[in-house]
Amino acid sequence: MTDTAHDPVTLVAPAGSARRARTRERLLDAAYEVFADQGVHAATVEQVCERAGFTRGAFYSNFSTKEELFFALMEREHMLRLSSLDEQVDALRPQLEAAVQPLDEPTIGSLVLALMRGPFNNRQWCLVTGEFALLAMRDPSVSTEFLAYRDRFRASLVPIVHRALDRAGREFVLDTQQALQMITAIYEDALRSAVLAGGDTDDEDLSGTLARAVLVLTRPVDA
């Protein structure tokens, strides 16, 4: 019997699936903007659809409720930030390796600020995360799932942060998640203050504050 050669099979997503995915992403993009502008509680499905350029039918073919949209957006944004942070740790490796050890305060501050800021509009994210928390506090049916999403995100940060600390030659002096919450709280407070003041964060001041926090919460790793 003669063997018959077969061309490799290329799996292509059905056109309908690709179109549905694009529709879903546009709805999530629109929700991000509307939630930041109007607040999650006040925002309506109609406003999200109008911003995305779709009908209510398109919305309900992707999401059953506004709360489901809220959690899908939360999940997407968390994954984007985790992926970005992971990439930034690798991108900053040459800078860490070239820096004089032990790292001084200005170097630590600039590195931490770069990692926390990333390529995102963090003013908008500050508004949306505030709305996420308010919705969860107002609605007990949402709070349990909100806390579960938050805890998974925090747990996913740990190995990435440990990798960054390893490359900086430092380690936390207390539980990693507790230390991260303290550092994150400093950054988020600066963002909220900037939003309230209608301006931008004072990067020099924030960098110094973050650096001092890191120096207090970490120690050099013994060679």
Side-chain angles (χ1 to χ4, degrees):
M1 183 172 63
T2 303
D3 289 337
T4 303
H6 296 280
D7 293 331
V9 177
T10 301
L11 298 178
V12 179
S17 298
R19 184 166 56 250
R20 181 185 177 90
R22 288 194 297 271
T23 298
R24 183 181 176 87
E25 284 300 303
R26 281 176 59 183
L27 286 166
L28 289 171
D29 289 341
Y32 196 166
E33 295 175 1
V34 172
F35 288 168
D37 291 344
Q38 305 295 329
V40 176
H41 189 70
T44 65
V45 169
E46 288 78 10
Q47 287 173 324
V48 172
C49 291
E50 182 180 355
R51 185 74 61 96
F54 292 127
T55 63
R56 286 171 59 91
F59 178 90
Y60 286 111
S61 68
N62 287 275
F63 306 100
S64 58
T65 63
K66 184 174 71 173
E67 288 70 29
E68 183 181 337
L69 170 67
F70 158 82
F71 282 116
L73 177 60
M74 189 172 175
E75 176 75 7
R76 186 187 74 167
E77 294 304 310
H78 280 171
M79 293 304 296
L80 286 172
R81 280 159 175 75
L82 286 170
S83 177
S84 173
L85 181 60
D86 199 35
E87 292 172 359
Q88 287 177 78
V89 170
D90 288 333
L92 290 172
R93 181 173 183 174
Q95 188 176 345
L96 284 168
E97 291 176 344
V100 176
Q101 294 291 342
L103 298 177
D104 59 19
E105 185 177 301
T107 301
I108 291 175
S110 63
L111 289 170
V112 174
L113 189 57
L115 287 172
M116 299 194 75
R117 178 167 290 161
F120 302 102
N121 180 340
N122 286 312
R123 182 184 185 282
Q124 192 175 40
W125 180 236
C126 177
L127 292 169
V128 173
T129 52
E131 288 295 329
F132 285 169
L134 284 172
L135 178 63
M137 287 189 285
R138 287 190 181 108
D139 189 343
S141 67
V142 173
S143 59
T144 300
E145 192 171 355
F146 173 86
L147 289 172
Y149 268 84
R150 188 197 65 182
D151 291 346
R152 285 198 298 273
F153 177 68
R154 287 179 175 177
S156 297
L157 280 174
V158 170
I160 302 174
V161 171
H162 278 169
R163 191 155 56 88
L165 283 174
D166 286 344
R167 291 181 175 173
R170 303 188 70 85
E171 63 184 4
F172 282 125
V173 298
L174 71 166
D175 177 76
T176 300
Q177 290 208 29
Q178 290 178 344
L180 283 174
Q181 287 175 43
M182 293 178 187
I183 294 169
T184 301
I186 293 171
Y187 182 68
E188 290 178 346
D189 181 68
L191 283 179
R192 285 192 293 269
S193 296
V195 170
L196 289 169
D200 296 322
T201 58
D202 183 334
D203 285 357
E204 184 175 352
D205 182 62
L206 179 55
S207 175
T209 303
L210 289 170
R212 289 187 288 274
V214 170
L215 287 170
V216 168
L217 295 169
T218 65
R219 63 190 168 205
V221 178
D222 293 334

PDB file of all heavy atoms in Angstrom, residues 64-75 78 132 135-137 139-153:
ATOM      1  N   SER A  64     -24.935  38.558  30.100  1.00  0.00           N
ATOM      2  CA  SER A  64     -26.322  38.461  30.557  1.00  0.00           C
ATOM      3  C   SER A  64     -26.717  39.655  31.418  1.00  0.00           C
ATOM      4  O   SER A  64     -27.889  40.040  31.469  1.00  0.00           O
ATOM      5  CB  SER A  64     -26.541  37.157  31.331  1.00  0.00           C
ATOM      6  OG  SER A  64     -25.650  37.072  32.437  1.00  0.00           O
ATOM      7  N   THR A  65     -25.734  40.260  32.114  1.00  0.00           N
ATOM      8  CA  THR A  65     -26.024  41.384  33.003  1.00  0.00           C
ATOM      9  C   THR A  65     -24.857  42.386  32.968  1.00  0.00           C
ATOM     10  O   THR A  65     -23.758  42.069  32.505  1.00  0.00           O
ATOM     11  CB  THR A  65     -26.199  40.921  34.466  1.00  0.00           C
ATOM     12  OG1 THR A  65     -24.962  40.348  34.918  1.00  0.00           O
ATOM     13  CG2 THR A  65     -27.322  39.899  34.584  1.00  0.00           C
ATOM     14  N   LYS A  66     -25.102  43.560  33.514  1.00  0.00           N
ATOM     15  CA  LYS A  66     -24.033  44.555  33.644  1.00  0.00           C
ATOM     16  C   LYS A  66     -22.952  44.051  34.605  1.00  0.00           C
ATOM     17  O   LYS A  66     -21.762  44.328  34.413  1.00  0.00           O
ATOM     18  CB  LYS A  66     -24.614  45.877  34.138  1.00  0.00           C
ATOM     19  CG  LYS A  66     -23.593  47.005  34.204  1.00  0.00           C
ATOM     20  CD  LYS A  66     -24.242  48.333  34.564  1.00  0.00           C
ATOM     21  CE  LYS A  66     -24.707  48.372  36.004  1.00  0.00           C
ATOM     22  NZ  LYS A  66     -25.178  49.726  36.405  1.00  0.00           N
ATOM     23  N   GLU A  67     -23.370  43.284  35.622  1.00  0.00           N
ATOM     24  CA  GLU A  67     -22.407  42.746  36.577  1.00  0.00           C
ATOM     25  C   GLU A  67     -21.473  41.738  35.917  1.00  0.00           C
ATOM     26  O   GLU A  67     -20.274  41.681  36.232  1.00  0.00           O
ATOM     27  CB  GLU A  67     -23.139  42.102  37.763  1.00  0.00           C
ATOM     28  CG  GLU A  67     -23.790  43.072  38.714  1.00  0.00           C
ATOM     29  CD  GLU A  67     -25.001  43.787  38.115  1.00  0.00           C
ATOM     30  OE1 GLU A  67     -25.660  43.190  37.228  1.00  0.00           O
ATOM     31  OE2 GLU A  67     -25.287  44.932  38.506  1.00  0.00           O
ATOM     32  N   GLU A  68     -21.999  40.930  34.997  1.00  0.00           N
ATOM     33  CA  GLU A  68     -21.148  39.984  34.271  1.00  0.00           C
ATOM     34  C   GLU A  68     -20.127  40.751  33.420  1.00  0.00           C
ATOM     35  O   GLU A  68     -18.950  40.373  33.348  1.00  0.00           O
ATOM     36  CB  GLU A  68     -21.984  39.075  33.375  1.00  0.00           C
ATOM     37  CG  GLU A  68     -21.156  38.019  32.651  1.00  0.00           C
ATOM     38  CD  GLU A  68     -21.985  37.138  31.735  1.00  0.00           C
ATOM     39  OE1 GLU A  68     -23.213  37.033  31.952  1.00  0.00           O
ATOM     40  OE2 GLU A  68     -21.405  36.567  30.790  1.00  0.00           O
ATOM     41  N   LEU A  69     -20.546  41.827  32.804  1.00  0.00           N
ATOM     42  CA  LEU A  69     -19.639  42.688  32.046  1.00  0.00           C
ATOM     43  C   LEU A  69     -18.572  43.264  32.973  1.00  0.00           C
ATOM     44  O   LEU A  69     -17.378  43.300  32.625  1.00  0.00           O
ATOM     45  CB  LEU A  69     -20.432  43.826  31.397  1.00  0.00           C
ATOM     46  CG  LEU A  69     -19.640  44.957  30.746  1.00  0.00           C
ATOM     47  CD1 LEU A  69     -18.885  44.458  29.523  1.00  0.00           C
ATOM     48  CD2 LEU A  69     -20.578  46.108  30.352  1.00  0.00           C
ATOM     49  N   PHE A  70     -18.976  43.704  34.143  1.00  0.00           N
ATOM     50  CA  PHE A  70     -18.065  44.256  35.149  1.00  0.00           C
ATOM     51  C   PHE A  70     -16.957  43.258  35.484  1.00  0.00           C
ATOM     52  O   PHE A  70     -15.768  43.594  35.478  1.00  0.00           O
ATOM     53  CB  PHE A  70     -18.915  44.594  36.379  1.00  0.00           C
ATOM     54  CG  PHE A  70     -18.195  44.689  37.685  1.00  0.00           C
ATOM     55  CD1 PHE A  70     -17.533  45.840  38.054  1.00  0.00           C
ATOM     56  CD2 PHE A  70     -18.227  43.623  38.575  1.00  0.00           C
ATOM     57  CE1 PHE A  70     -16.897  45.931  39.283  1.00  0.00           C
ATOM     58  CE2 PHE A  70     -17.589  43.704  39.804  1.00  0.00           C
ATOM     59  CZ  PHE A  70     -16.933  44.868  40.156  1.00  0.00           C
ATOM     60  N   PHE A  71     -17.310  42.000  35.728  1.00  0.00           N
ATOM     61  CA  PHE A  71     -16.302  41.002  36.084  1.00  0.00           C
ATOM     62  C   PHE A  71     -15.429  40.611  34.887  1.00  0.00           C
ATOM     63  O   PHE A  71     -14.238  40.336  35.047  1.00  0.00           O
ATOM     64  CB  PHE A  71     -16.954  39.769  36.705  1.00  0.00           C
ATOM     65  CG  PHE A  71     -17.340  39.964  38.143  1.00  0.00           C
ATOM     66  CD1 PHE A  71     -18.663  39.928  38.537  1.00  0.00           C
ATOM     67  CD2 PHE A  71     -16.371  40.222  39.098  1.00  0.00           C
ATOM     68  CE1 PHE A  71     -19.016  40.128  39.863  1.00  0.00           C
ATOM     69  CE2 PHE A  71     -16.711  40.419  40.431  1.00  0.00           C
ATOM     70  CZ  PHE A  71     -18.031  40.375  40.816  1.00  0.00           C
ATOM     71  N   ALA A  72     -16.003  40.602  33.694  1.00  0.00           N
ATOM     72  CA  ALA A  72     -15.202  40.316  32.503  1.00  0.00           C
ATOM     73  C   ALA A  72     -14.166  41.408  32.282  1.00  0.00           C
ATOM     74  O   ALA A  72     -13.016  41.131  31.914  1.00  0.00           O
ATOM     75  CB  ALA A  72     -16.114  40.181  31.275  1.00  0.00           C
ATOM     76  N   LEU A  73     -14.564  42.656  32.507  1.00  0.00           N
ATOM     77  CA  LEU A  73     -13.626  43.773  32.371  1.00  0.00           C
ATOM     78  C   LEU A  73     -12.544  43.697  33.447  1.00  0.00           C
ATOM     79  O   LEU A  73     -11.353  43.893  33.166  1.00  0.00           O
ATOM     80  CB  LEU A  73     -14.376  45.098  32.484  1.00  0.00           C
ATOM     81  CG  LEU A  73     -13.525  46.366  32.427  1.00  0.00           C
ATOM     82  CD1 LEU A  73     -12.758  46.458  31.122  1.00  0.00           C
ATOM     83  CD2 LEU A  73     -14.394  47.610  32.633  1.00  0.00           C
ATOM     84  N   MET A  74     -12.938  43.382  34.657  1.00  0.00           N
ATOM     85  CA  MET A  74     -11.983  43.253  35.756  1.00  0.00           C
ATOM     86  C   MET A  74     -10.949  42.164  35.449  1.00  0.00           C
ATOM     87  O   MET A  74      -9.750  42.357  35.635  1.00  0.00           O
ATOM     88  CB  MET A  74     -12.752  42.918  37.043  1.00  0.00           C
ATOM     89  CG  MET A  74     -11.928  42.963  38.312  1.00  0.00           C
ATOM     90  SD  MET A  74     -13.029  42.784  39.740  1.00  0.00           S
ATOM     91  CE  MET A  74     -11.828  42.707  41.067  1.00  0.00           C
ATOM     92  N   GLU A  75     -11.424  41.030  34.958  1.00  0.00           N
ATOM     93  CA  GLU A  75     -10.525  39.921  34.621  1.00  0.00           C
ATOM     94  C   GLU A  75      -9.570  40.318  33.500  1.00  0.00           C
ATOM     95  O   GLU A  75      -8.363  40.055  33.572  1.00  0.00           O
ATOM     96  CB  GLU A  75     -11.355  38.706  34.194  1.00  0.00           C
ATOM     97  CG  GLU A  75     -10.546  37.504  33.727  1.00  0.00           C
ATOM     98  CD  GLU A  75      -9.894  36.746  34.876  1.00  0.00           C
ATOM     99  OE1 GLU A  75     -10.163  37.069  36.046  1.00  0.00           O
ATOM    100  OE2 GLU A  75      -9.113  35.820  34.587  1.00  0.00           O
ATOM    101  N   HIS A  78      -6.928  42.884  34.757  1.00  0.00           N
ATOM    102  CA  HIS A  78      -5.950  42.240  35.632  1.00  0.00           C
ATOM    103  C   HIS A  78      -4.937  41.429  34.824  1.00  0.00           C
ATOM    104  O   HIS A  78      -3.727  41.474  35.091  1.00  0.00           O
ATOM    105  CB  HIS A  78      -6.657  41.339  36.644  1.00  0.00           C
ATOM    106  CG  HIS A  78      -7.240  42.086  37.802  1.00  0.00           C
ATOM    107  ND1 HIS A  78      -8.069  41.492  38.725  1.00  0.00           N
ATOM    108  CD2 HIS A  78      -7.120  43.384  38.197  1.00  0.00           C
ATOM    109  CE1 HIS A  78      -8.428  42.381  39.637  1.00  0.00           C
ATOM    110  NE2 HIS A  78      -7.873  43.539  39.328  1.00  0.00           N
ATOM    111  N   PHE A 132     -15.306  49.691  40.992  1.00  0.00           N
ATOM    112  CA  PHE A 132     -15.425  48.262  41.268  1.00  0.00           C
ATOM    113  C   PHE A 132     -15.648  48.032  42.760  1.00  0.00           C
ATOM    114  O   PHE A 132     -16.522  47.276  43.177  1.00  0.00           O
ATOM    115  CB  PHE A 132     -14.150  47.523  40.845  1.00  0.00           C
ATOM    116  CG  PHE A 132     -13.993  47.328  39.364  1.00  0.00           C
ATOM    117  CD1 PHE A 132     -12.788  46.878  38.854  1.00  0.00           C
ATOM    118  CD2 PHE A 132     -15.023  47.581  38.488  1.00  0.00           C
ATOM    119  CE1 PHE A 132     -12.613  46.684  37.488  1.00  0.00           C
ATOM    120  CE2 PHE A 132     -14.872  47.401  37.124  1.00  0.00           C
ATOM    121  CZ  PHE A 132     -13.666  46.951  36.616  1.00  0.00           C
ATOM    122  N   LEU A 135     -19.134  49.218  43.973  1.00  0.00           N
ATOM    123  CA  LEU A 135     -20.193  48.300  43.585  1.00  0.00           C
ATOM    124  C   LEU A 135     -20.201  47.084  44.504  1.00  0.00           C
ATOM    125  O   LEU A 135     -21.251  46.638  44.963  1.00  0.00           O
ATOM    126  CB  LEU A 135     -20.012  47.853  42.131  1.00  0.00           C
ATOM    127  CG  LEU A 135     -21.042  46.834  41.618  1.00  0.00           C
ATOM    128  CD1 LEU A 135     -22.444  47.437  41.620  1.00  0.00           C
ATOM    129  CD2 LEU A 135     -20.688  46.359  40.223  1.00  0.00           C
ATOM    130  N   ALA A 136     -19.010  46.543  44.795  1.00  0.00           N
ATOM    131  CA  ALA A 136     -18.915  45.362  45.653  1.00  0.00           C
ATOM    132  C   ALA A 136     -19.391  45.674  47.072  1.00  0.00           C
ATOM    133  O   ALA A 136     -20.042  44.839  47.716  1.00  0.00           O
ATOM    134  CB  ALA A 136     -17.475  44.856  45.684  1.00  0.00           C
ATOM    135  N   MET A 137     -19.080  46.869  47.559  1.00  0.00           N
ATOM    136  CA  MET A 137     -19.514  47.239  48.909  1.00  0.00           C
ATOM    137  C   MET A 137     -21.010  47.491  48.973  1.00  0.00           C
ATOM    138  O   MET A 137     -21.651  47.257  49.996  1.00  0.00           O
ATOM    139  CB  MET A 137     -18.749  48.475  49.383  1.00  0.00           C
ATOM    140  CG  MET A 137     -17.291  48.179  49.734  1.00  0.00           C
ATOM    141  SD  MET A 137     -16.436  49.558  50.542  1.00  0.00           S
ATOM    142  CE  MET A 137     -16.161  50.657  49.143  1.00  0.00           C
ATOM    143  N   ASP A 139     -23.293  45.951  46.996  1.00  0.00           N
ATOM    144  CA  ASP A 139     -24.075  44.777  46.610  1.00  0.00           C
ATOM    145  C   ASP A 139     -23.432  43.510  47.174  1.00  0.00           C
ATOM    146  O   ASP A 139     -22.422  43.033  46.657  1.00  0.00           O
ATOM    147  CB  ASP A 139     -24.137  44.706  45.075  1.00  0.00           C
ATOM    148  CG  ASP A 139     -25.101  43.645  44.592  1.00  0.00           C
ATOM    149  OD1 ASP A 139     -25.472  42.769  45.385  1.00  0.00           O
ATOM    150  OD2 ASP A 139     -25.463  43.690  43.401  1.00  0.00           O
ATOM    151  N   PRO A 140     -24.013  42.919  48.227  1.00  0.00           N
ATOM    152  CA  PRO A 140     -23.438  41.702  48.808  1.00  0.00           C
ATOM    153  C   PRO A 140     -23.348  40.539  47.817  1.00  0.00           C
ATOM    154  O   PRO A 140     -22.478  39.676  47.954  1.00  0.00           O
ATOM    155  CB  PRO A 140     -24.411  41.368  49.947  1.00  0.00           C
ATOM    156  CG  PRO A 140     -25.071  42.671  50.293  1.00  0.00           C
ATOM    157  CD  PRO A 140     -25.173  43.401  48.974  1.00  0.00           C
ATOM    158  N   SER A 141     -24.207  40.536  46.809  1.00  0.00           N
ATOM    159  CA  SER A 141     -24.161  39.447  45.830  1.00  0.00           C
ATOM    160  C   SER A 141     -22.935  39.555  44.929  1.00  0.00           C
ATOM    161  O   SER A 141     -22.552  38.588  44.270  1.00  0.00           O
ATOM    162  CB  SER A 141     -25.434  39.446  44.976  1.00  0.00           C
ATOM    163  OG  SER A 141     -25.493  40.600  44.138  1.00  0.00           O
ATOM    164  N   VAL A 142     -22.332  40.725  44.890  1.00  0.00           N
ATOM    165  CA  VAL A 142     -21.141  40.963  44.074  1.00  0.00           C
ATOM    166  C   VAL A 142     -19.858  40.828  44.894  1.00  0.00           C
ATOM    167  O   VAL A 142     -18.806  40.451  44.377  1.00  0.00           O
ATOM    168  CB  VAL A 142     -21.208  42.365  43.424  1.00  0.00           C
ATOM    169  CG1 VAL A 142     -19.909  42.717  42.714  1.00  0.00           C
ATOM    170  CG2 VAL A 142     -22.369  42.433  42.442  1.00  0.00           C
ATOM    171  N   SER A 143     -19.946  41.122  46.192  1.00  0.00           N
ATOM    172  CA  SER A 143     -18.736  41.249  47.014  1.00  0.00           C
ATOM    173  C   SER A 143     -17.913  39.973  47.087  1.00  0.00           C
ATOM    174  O   SER A 143     -16.677  40.030  47.037  1.00  0.00           O
ATOM    175  CB  SER A 143     -19.112  41.703  48.426  1.00  0.00           C
ATOM    176  OG  SER A 143     -19.994  40.774  49.036  1.00  0.00           O
ATOM    177  N   THR A 144     -18.566  38.805  47.193  1.00  0.00           N
ATOM    178  CA  THR A 144     -17.820  37.552  47.306  1.00  0.00           C
ATOM    179  C   THR A 144     -16.967  37.300  46.069  1.00  0.00           C
ATOM    180  O   THR A 144     -15.779  36.966  46.173  1.00  0.00           O
ATOM    181  CB  THR A 144     -18.776  36.366  47.529  1.00  0.00           C
ATOM    182  OG1 THR A 144     -19.505  36.574  48.740  1.00  0.00           O
ATOM    183  CG2 THR A 144     -17.998  35.050  47.625  1.00  0.00           C
ATOM    184  N   GLU A 145     -17.557  37.476  44.901  1.00  0.00           N
ATOM    185  CA  GLU A 145     -16.811  37.254  43.658  1.00  0.00           C
ATOM    186  C   GLU A 145     -15.735  38.322  43.482  1.00  0.00           C
ATOM    187  O   GLU A 145     -14.638  38.043  42.999  1.00  0.00           O
ATOM    188  CB  GLU A 145     -17.758  37.246  42.462  1.00  0.00           C
ATOM    189  CG  GLU A 145     -17.114  36.742  41.192  1.00  0.00           C
ATOM    190  CD  GLU A 145     -18.110  36.539  40.061  1.00  0.00           C
ATOM    191  OE1 GLU A 145     -19.329  36.702  40.279  1.00  0.00           O
ATOM    192  OE2 GLU A 145     -17.655  36.214  38.939  1.00  0.00           O
ATOM    193  N   PHE A 146     -16.040  39.557  43.886  1.00  0.00           N
ATOM    194  CA  PHE A 146     -15.056  40.634  43.798  1.00  0.00           C
ATOM    195  C   PHE A 146     -13.817  40.301  44.628  1.00  0.00           C
ATOM    196  O   PHE A 146     -12.673  40.448  44.163  1.00  0.00           O
ATOM    197  CB  PHE A 146     -15.677  41.943  44.288  1.00  0.00           C
ATOM    198  CG  PHE A 146     -14.707  43.088  44.389  1.00  0.00           C
ATOM    199  CD1 PHE A 146     -14.425  43.884  43.292  1.00  0.00           C
ATOM    200  CD2 PHE A 146     -14.063  43.371  45.592  1.00  0.00           C
ATOM    201  CE1 PHE A 146     -13.529  44.939  43.381  1.00  0.00           C
ATOM    202  CE2 PHE A 146     -13.163  44.420  45.688  1.00  0.00           C
ATOM    203  CZ  PHE A 146     -12.898  45.204  44.576  1.00  0.00           C
ATOM    204  N   LEU A 147     -14.026  39.848  45.858  1.00  0.00           N
ATOM    205  CA  LEU A 147     -12.902  39.495  46.725  1.00  0.00           C
ATOM    206  C   LEU A 147     -12.104  38.331  46.145  1.00  0.00           C
ATOM    207  O   LEU A 147     -10.873  38.306  46.251  1.00  0.00           O
ATOM    208  CB  LEU A 147     -13.415  39.141  48.121  1.00  0.00           C
ATOM    209  CG  LEU A 147     -13.951  40.319  48.949  1.00  0.00           C
ATOM    210  CD1 LEU A 147     -14.597  39.815  50.229  1.00  0.00           C
ATOM    211  CD2 LEU A 147     -12.833  41.307  49.265  1.00  0.00           C
ATOM    212  N   ALA A 148     -12.796  37.373  45.527  1.00  0.00           N
ATOM    213  CA  ALA A 148     -12.103  36.233  44.922  1.00  0.00           C
ATOM    214  C   ALA A 148     -11.222  36.689  43.756  1.00  0.00           C
ATOM    215  O   ALA A 148     -10.071  36.249  43.622  1.00  0.00           O
ATOM    216  CB  ALA A 148     -13.114  35.194  44.437  1.00  0.00           C
ATOM    217  N   TYR A 149     -11.725  37.594  42.917  1.00  0.00           N
ATOM    218  CA  TYR A 149     -10.932  38.151  41.812  1.00  0.00           C
ATOM    219  C   TYR A 149      -9.720  38.906  42.357  1.00  0.00           C
ATOM    220  O   TYR A 149      -8.604  38.747  41.861  1.00  0.00           O
ATOM    221  CB  TYR A 149     -11.786  39.107  40.975  1.00  0.00           C
ATOM    222  CG  TYR A 149     -12.482  38.470  39.802  1.00  0.00           C
ATOM    223  CD1 TYR A 149     -13.696  37.829  39.964  1.00  0.00           C
ATOM    224  CD2 TYR A 149     -11.938  38.527  38.523  1.00  0.00           C
ATOM    225  CE1 TYR A 149     -14.355  37.243  38.890  1.00  0.00           C
ATOM    226  CE2 TYR A 149     -12.582  37.956  37.442  1.00  0.00           C
ATOM    227  CZ  TYR A 149     -13.791  37.311  37.627  1.00  0.00           C
ATOM    228  OH  TYR A 149     -14.431  36.734  36.560  1.00  0.00           O
ATOM    229  N   ARG A 150      -9.946  39.715  43.365  1.00  0.00           N
ATOM    230  CA  ARG A 150      -8.861  40.504  43.942  1.00  0.00           C
ATOM    231  C   ARG A 150      -7.774  39.608  44.536  1.00  0.00           C
ATOM    232  O   ARG A 150      -6.579  39.844  44.338  1.00  0.00           O
ATOM    233  CB  ARG A 150      -9.414  41.423  45.032  1.00  0.00           C
ATOM    234  CG  ARG A 150      -8.406  42.423  45.568  1.00  0.00           C
ATOM    235  CD  ARG A 150      -8.850  43.016  46.878  1.00  0.00           C
ATOM    236  NE  ARG A 150      -8.908  42.003  47.941  1.00  0.00           N
ATOM    237  CZ  ARG A 150      -9.307  42.265  49.193  1.00  0.00           C
ATOM    238  NH1 ARG A 150      -9.685  43.485  49.519  1.00  0.00           N
ATOM    239  NH2 ARG A 150      -9.316  41.312  50.112  1.00  0.00           N
ATOM    240  N   ASP A 151      -8.203  38.570  45.254  1.00  0.00           N
ATOM    241  CA  ASP A 151      -7.224  37.680  45.887  1.00  0.00           C
ATOM    242  C   ASP A 151      -6.432  36.891  44.851  1.00  0.00           C
ATOM    243  O   ASP A 151      -5.228  36.663  45.026  1.00  0.00           O
ATOM    244  CB  ASP A 151      -7.936  36.719  46.852  1.00  0.00           C
ATOM    245  CG  ASP A 151      -8.485  37.432  48.075  1.00  0.00           C
ATOM    246  OD1 ASP A 151      -8.101  38.598  48.311  1.00  0.00           O
ATOM    247  OD2 ASP A 151      -9.321  36.828  48.793  1.00  0.00           O
ATOM    248  N   ARG A 152      -7.086  36.482  43.754  1.00  0.00           N
ATOM    249  CA  ARG A 152      -6.361  35.761  42.696  1.00  0.00           C
ATOM    250  C   ARG A 152      -5.337  36.677  42.034  1.00  0.00           C
ATOM    251  O   ARG A 152      -4.232  36.254  41.711  1.00  0.00           O
ATOM    252  CB  ARG A 152      -7.343  35.216  41.645  1.00  0.00           C
ATOM    253  CG  ARG A 152      -8.129  34.006  42.096  1.00  0.00           C
ATOM    254  CD  ARG A 152      -8.728  33.255  40.919  1.00  0.00           C
ATOM    255  NE  ARG A 152      -9.682  34.057  40.166  1.00  0.00           N
ATOM    256  CZ  ARG A 152     -10.982  34.130  40.476  1.00  0.00           C
ATOM    257  NH1 ARG A 152     -11.461  33.495  41.532  1.00  0.00           N
ATOM    258  NH2 ARG A 152     -11.796  34.859  39.747  1.00  0.00           N
ATOM    259  N   PHE A 153      -5.720  37.931  41.834  1.00  0.00           N
ATOM    260  CA  PHE A 153      -4.788  38.893  41.231  1.00  0.00           C
ATOM    261  C   PHE A 153      -3.577  39.097  42.133  1.00  0.00           C
ATOM    262  O   PHE A 153      -2.430  39.072  41.673  1.00  0.00           O
ATOM    263  CB  PHE A 153      -5.507  40.218  40.990  1.00  0.00           C
ATOM    264  CG  PHE A 153      -4.626  41.301  40.437  1.00  0.00           C
ATOM    265  CD1 PHE A 153      -4.109  41.206  39.154  1.00  0.00           C
ATOM    266  CD2 PHE A 153      -4.316  42.419  41.200  1.00  0.00           C
ATOM    267  CE1 PHE A 153      -3.294  42.209  38.629  1.00  0.00           C
ATOM    268  CE2 PHE A 153      -3.508  43.424  40.697  1.00  0.00           C
ATOM    269  CZ  PHE A 153      -3.000  43.313  39.411  1.00  0.00           C
TER     270      PHE A 153
END
